[in-house]
Amino acid sequence: MEITTTRQNPLIDPSLHVWHGEVAAYLFLGGLVAGLMILLGAYRLWKPERPRSQALARLPWLVPVLLSVGMLFLWLDLANRLNAFRFYLILRPETPMSWGAWILLAVYPVSLAFAWNESPAAWRRRALARWPRLAALARCSEARQRPLAFATMNLGILLAVYTGILLGAFAARPLWNSPLLGPLFLASGLSSGAAFILLFGLEDEERRLASIVDMGVIGAELGLIALWLLGLAVGGLAAQSAARLFFGGPYTAAFWTLVVALGLVIPFIGEAIEYKRRATPGRATALFVLAGGFALRWIVVFAGQAAGWVGQVAGK
Amino acid sequence: MKGPRYALAVDTRTCVGCAACVIGCKEENAVPLGTTRDWIVTETSGVYPALATQFRSERCNHCADAPCVRACPTGSSHYGPGGTVQVNPAKCSGCKACITACPYGARYVDPRTHTVDKCSFCLHRLASGKRTTSCQEICPTASILFGDLSDPESEISRALARRTWTVLLPDAGTEPQHYFLK
């Protein structure tokens, strides 16, 4: 069968390209921020009394900063940027992008209060001496250490999962249309968060813990990628056609080398060797993980738009 | 559903693929250069020498279960009169989720307004008392039928009852209201 079309809508024909690098960058930063929130919140809940390294105590401030950078990318991708406020005039429960917008808004106050609680006491005293009007807010925040840590962790989970469900909900894009994209992006976000933490000057025990978490979620990520691709390969015609993008199609080399080999397998082996030799986890493997996490979002965003429904008609 | 249910049908036996519908639409709706609200698909099937060619004038399917409406985070894409799918540009942020959600590729970003646009079933014409879409009015072979499916006596209802027909991508579950008479 041959189809000739005279359509010529830019960004739509010959294949869909409406979401560009900005969306991929946002999805990566959103996942990274979510991973940081989950790990930092969980660590506070798990070891509430343990003193933290200076770096770990200050890292939570990067959550709103990185999220703002991500949201800037998202805003840049909008065709009609002046109408961005429209996201916050309505909540549409059936639309992942709508509840995602509200999750992003909720992250700010929670992550700022959590970051305040996690900051070194001397630093907080100095800040209050400079801005005494913050005292009431600070007291309110400090009185809720555990609930805020719990909220941070759970908002992180929601943020990570929503980015996957956002793409997974598009039935018109067979590559994305999988419920596994939510947990895959959660695992990828956790892995990126752990790798990001490893870039800073932590204590040895904190580094080892982050490295162990990273190894665990990399393993989960590999399993989820295998299940996702399996689901496509054994699916209908449209899903099989989408799977071929990674099996001989134009995204094959990039996906298997950048995402799977360099982003997952090699850092996993590196971290396993470090763990076995009781060596302090280094930054090189963490950089590989971060690059792999970015490549995953980039390739999934672009490949997903290259896949569509295969022409079919039916009627009476 | 109470009230009218607007739908459009293209007679693939009489459509010659002249693209007058595309030009008529561009003229009526001031569609910007380089974009189209409707288009012609020429599909040749079979094995030589037993080949058959079908011309189809396609546009937004005004789906009864529209993925674009579900994907829109601001409520800009919505169900309008007669179950049609409409875009309110005042609410559109240009996030392009609707474009991504549409399996028919029927939407585009208007380069002048930076908002998403598509076929409206010429709702403005209906509002002004006309009973035809611009593509239907200009079609030289009278291959385009537009009307109210809730009225069993409408021309489109009678044609769909009498003839065999197809819709595009039925497995996408969108319940398209754009029919192709065979």
Side-chain angles (χ1 to χ4, degrees), chain A residues 1-2, chain B residues 43-48 50-54:
Chain A
M1 189 169 78
E2 180 187 309
Chain B
E43 184 178 323
T44 302
S45 56
V47 178
Y48 181 82
L51 295 171
T53 294
Q54 183 185 75

Side-chain angles (χ1 to χ4, degrees), chain A residues 72 120 122 220:
Chain A
L72 175 68

Side-chain angles (χ1 to χ4, degrees), chain B residues 8-142:
Chain B
L8 189 142
V10 171
D11 190 337
T12 58
R13 271 200 258 164
T14 55
C15 176
V16 292
C18 69
C21 50
V22 180
I23 306 304
C25 173
K26 277 179 172 283
E27 187 67 27
E28 173 77 26
N29 296 294
V31 179
L33 207 63
T35 60
T36 51
R37 287 189 179 194
D38 56 354
W39 55 91
I40 300 293
V41 170
T42 308
E43 184 178 323
T44 302
S45 56
V47 178
Y48 181 82
L51 295 171
T53 294
Q54 183 185 75
F55 297 105
R56 288 199 302 265
S57 168
E58 293 186 1
R59 57 193 53 65
C60 168
N61 284 250
H62 291 270
C63 308
D65 187 3
C68 52
V69 173
R70 252 182 290 131
C72 178
T74 63
S76 168
S77 285
H78 62 282
Y79 295 108
T84 59
V85 175
Q86 303 294 337
V87 180
N88 180 353
K91 287 186 179 179
C92 180
S93 69
C95 73
K96 297 163 280 186
C98 58
I99 297 179
T100 313
C102 176
Y104 305 102
R107 292 168 164 250
Y108 59 89
V109 177
D110 187 319
R112 299 164 305 190
T113 60
H114 307 291
T115 56
V116 171
D117 211 344
K118 65 168 197 74
C119 161
S120 65
F121 269 176
C122 281
L123 216 56
H124 62 286
R125 288 171 62 100
L126 299 181
S128 69
K130 289 178 181 163
R131 302 184 65 181
T132 57
T133 61
S134 62
C135 55
Q136 178 187 14
E137 191 174 71
I138 204 168
C139 180
T141 58

